[in-house]
Amino acid sequence: MEAYSVWENMKFIFCEIFVRDRRLGLAYAIKAVLQAGAALAALLYPRYLILELTGQRRIPVLAGLLAGFFMTELVCHCGGRWMEQTFYSHMIVMRFRFREKYQETCLSTDFVHMEDPAYLDRMYAADKCLQSNNYGIEGVMHRLFGLPGSILSVAACLSVLGSLHIGLALFLLGNIGVLFWMTWKCRRIEMKLRTKSLHEERHERYYHSVAQDIACAKEIRLFQLSGWLLEALRACCREQNRQSGRLQSRLFFIRLTEWCMELLRNLLTYAYAIRQYLAGVIGIADFTMYISSILQMMESVLAIVDDTAFIVTQNPYINEFRSFLEEPGEEGASGLCPVGPYTFVLEHVSFRYPGKEEFALRDVSLTIRPGERIALVGRNGSGKTTLLKLLMRLYEPTEGVIYCNKTDISSMDREAYYRLFSPVFQEIAPLAYSIGENVTLQRPDQQDAERCKVCLQQVGLWELVRGLPQGLHTYLGKALADDGVELSGGEMQRLLIARALYHGGDVFVMDEPTSALDPIHEQEIYRQMDRVSMGKTTVFVSHRLMSTQFCDRILLLEEGRITESGSHEQLLAQAGAYAQMWQVQAKYYREEEAG
Ligand code: ADP
């Protein structure tokens, strides 16, 4: 992770502020001047009032001083408060802008990252920087609003106290320095332990989200998993509490020392001012001013310590956020995508998942010709899905190269390459938008409703959709619409096939697209697939060997290698593993038919 200093991060935040919202940038400067003005007025006006009251007692002068005091307070104090209130919302908007950047990175990062726990930890840490008004980037922006004013106030107080005794001012300055150093130390300890507990925090958040996730709700209830999940949540909390307890005991001694230093500081200033007053060196007006200065200074110093400590604490989160945004993306990936028809060549491709020892795919060499329909079959875990993901460039091969029309796919513009494919995955993950939007993946005003209807007809869903009160505009699920509908697993799968048909990419990639369908719809879908994929390159993963018959070539994968390749008839004639699997399944189907 890139470790930016606090200064560098402040510069980063202010640069964004000046680019996005100049008025907010200006407000920071004005607020500082107003705050220092209010502090000076609170020191000087009482001094002159007391001087006048204990001296000539002129009513017009007293009235003038009072009016001046009132006006300065009004402008500086109320003006400052008004700015705080007005610009609060500007800072929220700034946070949303940073959030957008984060979201953009999450949505576009390489797919392989989304399965990497270390990356997910970093993503979570970066997100922490943007979750709240009071912490992370926005919290820092709020604190920075008051910080320059506090610094100016301390400078004003120190110059007043310096006129009492320069040595006293220097002692106070040193004292403040030590206070800063100790607070800094406290925060360092805090941060170290917080970073350690990030992993537990992410797990804890997962357990919270599981409790609200409709996808898990059935299993949790039917298998009575709540006790198990609660115990896992408690274990996360226990670990966090243990770390927090260690932190508190380490911080206690530092806080005690801080308190002793504060006592010493006040005692010395008071004693010296009283001595000077009793010796007749200063009058009551100056005495009052010095005492006010020390009180005012302490208030500002505590504000600075608190604000800077906060900013230092948040710095690692901002670093996480910035590093997350700057994480290297794909390199040299802006090459043009060739025009069709497409031939894909996998040359000695091997792949190992991050953090895993064994290879999921080993030395796979394969040519997929334009318009060829290929079925990938094999046991669970033999590497079929991994091969599809490599072909679609969701992962980069660990070894070997994949070519599309003789161009290495890793050199092509990723989005252009993705557009070649119309995928249907096994996992059903619809968006909580309307049915039309789910099929077309376009906003309603851009959709081709007629084409959408044809695609839904092809998968046998049109009658159902037509019968819904809002037709294509009916929402899926209730996350975004109270009257959203829930479709069955099989209906959802057909909807996703309709999406692939609508998308009309040159290559159909289907990873068990019919696993949730009943046999009638399954047969129907295969008939449709046979028709719509005619002439189109299709790579198709299925456990049901009956379904592979519309394919030109069948590849059998075993432990990450292609061990058999040929048409259905050729593989049966080979009497190998495919023929064996076929016998088992054919027997099952025969029994089912007989039953
Ligand atoms: P299939 O599709 O044939 O069932 P996969 O391609 O999904 O097989 O998996 C091949 C191997 O890779 C298996 O051993 C599986 O455990 C492993 N694997 C799959 N996905 C991941 C992942 N995201 N992280 C680590 N290992 C994985």
Side-chain angles (χ1 to χ4, degrees):
M1 181 184 75
E2 192 70 51
Y4 294 102
S5 68
V6 173
W7 296 116
E8 285 170 323
N9 279 337
M10 283 205 267
K11 204 169 118 197
F12 165 73
I13 293 175
F14 276 115
C15 283
E16 281 294 318
I17 289 175
F18 280 110
V19 170
R20 307 267 182 184
D21 189 349
R22 291 232 163 137
R23 279 175 63 206
L24 178 59
L26 195 63
Y28 272 91
I30 297 174
K31 172 75 173 39
V33 174
L34 292 180
Q35 206 172 326
L40 262 182
L43 292 183
L44 297 180
Y45 276 111
R47 176 181 187 266
Y48 289 113
L49 272 172
I50 295 171
L51 272 180
E52 192 59 33
L53 283 171
T54 54
Q56 298 180 39
R57 296 170 152 207
R58 287 165 297 180
I59 298 295
V61 176
L62 284 170
L65 281 171
L66 263 183
F69 190 29
F70 177 75
M71 285 307 293
T72 321
E73 275 290 296
L74 191 75
V75 172
C76 294
H77 212 78
C78 299
R81 288 284 140 141
W82 174 82
M83 292 187 83
E84 266 170 34
Q85 163 131 8
T86 308
F87 286 95
Y88 195 93
S89 57
H90 286 237
M91 295 182 204
I92 297 179
V93 172
M94 282 304 300
R95 175 165 63 93
F96 286 159
R97 297 222 188 279
F98 285 115
R99 222 194 146 84
E100 256 174 52
K101 289 189 176 199
Y102 169 81
Q103 208 78 1
E104 217 175 283
T105 310
C106 290
L107 291 171
S108 60
T109 189
D110 286 2
F111 175 76
V112 69
H113 288 152
M114 303 303 288
E115 298 183 328
D116 176 4
Y119 186 85
L120 293 178
D121 276 348
R122 291 203 292 283
M123 185 188 260
Y124 177 71
D127 185 30
K128 272 192 86 92
C129 188
L130 306 163
Q131 279 171 7
S132 144
N133 298 112
N134 303 322
Y135 294 96
I137 284 198
E138 191 186 330
V140 167
M141 281 194 281
H142 290 306
R143 298 296 186 114
L144 283 174
F145 209 51
L147 189 61
S150 301
I151 294 172
L152 285 181
S153 305
V154 171
C157 295
L158 272 176
S159 55
V160 169
L161 287 164
S163 69
L164 178 64
H165 192 290
I166 187 74
L168 181 68
L170 289 176
F171 164 75
L172 291 173
L173 205 61
N175 194 293
I176 294 171
V178 176
L179 188 66
F180 268 102
W181 181 75
M182 295 183 82
T183 314
W184 165 267
K185 211 168 157 44
C186 275
R187 300 304 170 202
R188 291 283 296 241
I189 297 172
E190 247 175 41
M191 277 321 300
K192 250 192 195 156
L193 285 170
R194 283 232 172 101
T195 315
K196 271 193 194 165
S197 68
L198 269 180
H199 187 73
E200 266 71 38
E201 259 187 71
R202 185 166 70 81
H203 283 216
E204 187 199 320
R205 210 161 86 155
Y206 168 74
Y207 291 120
H208 274 294
S209 68
V210 159
Q212 300 159 2
D213 189 352
I214 184 80
C216 309
K218 291 191 288 297
E219 278 84 353
I220 290 176
R221 280 153 187 79
L222 290 169
F223 292 115
Q224 288 134 45
L225 300 180
S226 57
W228 182 30
L229 291 170
L230 277 174
E231 186 41 48
L233 179 67
R234 277 189 213 116
C236 284
C237 295
R238 269 200 301 275
E239 178 54 26
Q240 284 183 51
N241 272 346
R242 197 179 61 78
Q243 294 186 359
S244 162
R246 275 177 55 202
L247 173 72
Q248 291 311 322
S249 55
R250 285 179 75 178
L251 293 183
F252 174 73
F253 291 102
I254 300 181
R255 290 203 180 114
L256 196 68
T257 324
E258 272 176 16
W259 181 77
C260 293
M261 287 185 52
E262 190 183 335
L263 206 66
L264 181 71
R265 187 173 53 228
N266 289 350
L267 210 69
L268 211 79
T269 318
Y270 275 79
Y272 189 73
I274 291 170
R275 179 181 167 273
Q276 294 298 79
Y277 175 70
L278 291 178
V281 180
I282 56 171
I284 191 71
D286 283 337
F287 179 80
T288 318
M289 183 177 70
Y290 292 128
I291 296 302
S292 306
S293 300
I294 186 88
L295 293 176
Q296 169 75 56
M297 189 182 79
M298 280 333 294
E299 196 181 307
S300 302
V301 164
L302 289 181
I304 295 174
V305 169
D306 197 43
D307 288 343
T308 45
F310 176 83
I311 291 168
V312 170
T313 328
Q314 298 306 304
N315 207 49
Y317 292 115
I318 300 178
N319 276 339
E320 293 280 4
F321 169 67
R322 290 186 65 185
S323 309
F324 181 69
L325 292 192
E326 290 159 9
E327 217 145 311
E330 56 200 290
E331 277 173 23
S334 54
L336 286 178
C337 211
V339 285
Y342 300 103
T343 301
F344 296 89
V345 177
L346 283 79
E347 223 173 68
H348 302 292
V349 169
S350 298
F351 180 75
R352 192 167 50 189
Y353 282 95
K356 278 210 139 180
E357 291 276 297
E358 58 294 351
F359 279 85
L361 277 186
R362 297 156 207 262
D363 196 22
V364 170
S365 291
L366 164 72
T367 300
I368 304 170
R369 286 177 287 276
E372 191 176 18
R373 299 190 292 179
I374 291 188
L376 299 177
V377 300
R379 289 175 198 277
N380 282 337
S382 55
K384 304 180 294 292
T385 302
T386 307
L387 181 54
L388 288 189
K389 287 177 180 167
L390 280 163
L391 180 69
M392 288 187 285
R393 206 174 149 201
L394 291 173
Y395 305 137
E396 305 288 343
T398 313
E399 288 163 18
V401 188
I402 302 178
Y403 296 98
C404 171
N405 287 2
K406 299 190 178 155
T407 308
D408 181 349
I409 62 168
S410 68
S411 69
M412 293 180 195
D413 174 66
R414 193 179 284 264
E415 284 180 15
Y417 185 70
Y418 283 166
R419 275 196 288 275
L420 300 187
F421 296 93
S422 271
V424 182
F425 296 108
Q426 205 173 343
E427 308 90 15
I428 296 170
L431 301 171
Y433 290 150
S434 69
I435 292 178
E437 283 163 308
N438 265 283
V439 173
T440 63
L441 297 181
Q442 288 169 325
R443 286 201 306 267
D445 55 327
Q446 298 169 333
Q447 293 168 12
D448 180 343
E450 193 48 39
R451 182 147 164 235
C452 181
K453 178 182 155 185
V454 171
C455 295
L456 286 168
Q457 277 170 338
Q458 285 180 333
V459 295
L461 265 190
W462 176 242
E463 287 308 310
L464 185 147
V465 173
R466 203 169 60 151
L468 294 170
Q470 305 206 47
L472 276 177
H473 304 297
T474 311
Y475 270 65
L476 286 182
K478 304 214 184 285
L480 297 183
D482 292 342
D483 58 351
V485 292
E486 303 288 346
L487 297 186
S488 71
E491 286 161 350
M492 274 312 311
Q493 226 164 19
R494 283 190 278 152
L495 193 84
L496 300 188
I497 297 173
R499 173 193 289 178
L501 295 176
Y502 184 93
H503 185 58
D506 286 277
V507 186
F508 275 127
V509 174
M510 313 254 165
D511 190 358
E512 297 209 50
T514 58
S515 58
L517 294 188
D518 58 68
I520 298 191
H521 279 118
E522 192 183 9
Q523 275 305 320
E524 177 58 28
I525 287 289
Y526 289 142
R527 268 215 320 276
Q528 296 288 359
M529 286 303 306
D530 189 15
R531 203 173 55 77
V532 296
S533 67
M534 193 70 78
K536 271 203 171 194
T537 311
T538 305
V539 187
F540 179 76
V541 168
S542 182
H543 278 301
R544 307 190 199 190
L545 302 186
M546 296 269 275
S547 64
T548 59
Q549 289 177 29
F550 77 86
C551 293
D552 308 311
R553 190 154 49 121
I554 298 166
L555 304 176
L556 176 77
L557 274 103
E558 286 177 300
E559 297 179 358
R561 292 178 198 278
I562 298 177
T563 51
E564 292 179 27
S565 165
S567 68
H568 176 68
E569 289 70 26
Q570 285 169 337
L571 292 187
L572 283 188
Q574 273 183 27
Y578 177 86
Q580 229 173 12
M581 281 167 66
W582 172 257
Q583 295 303 338
V584 173
Q585 288 199 8
K587 181 167 168 277
Y588 166 76
Y589 278 113
R590 273 197 301 273
E591 279 170 8
E592 213 180 38
E593 271 168 29

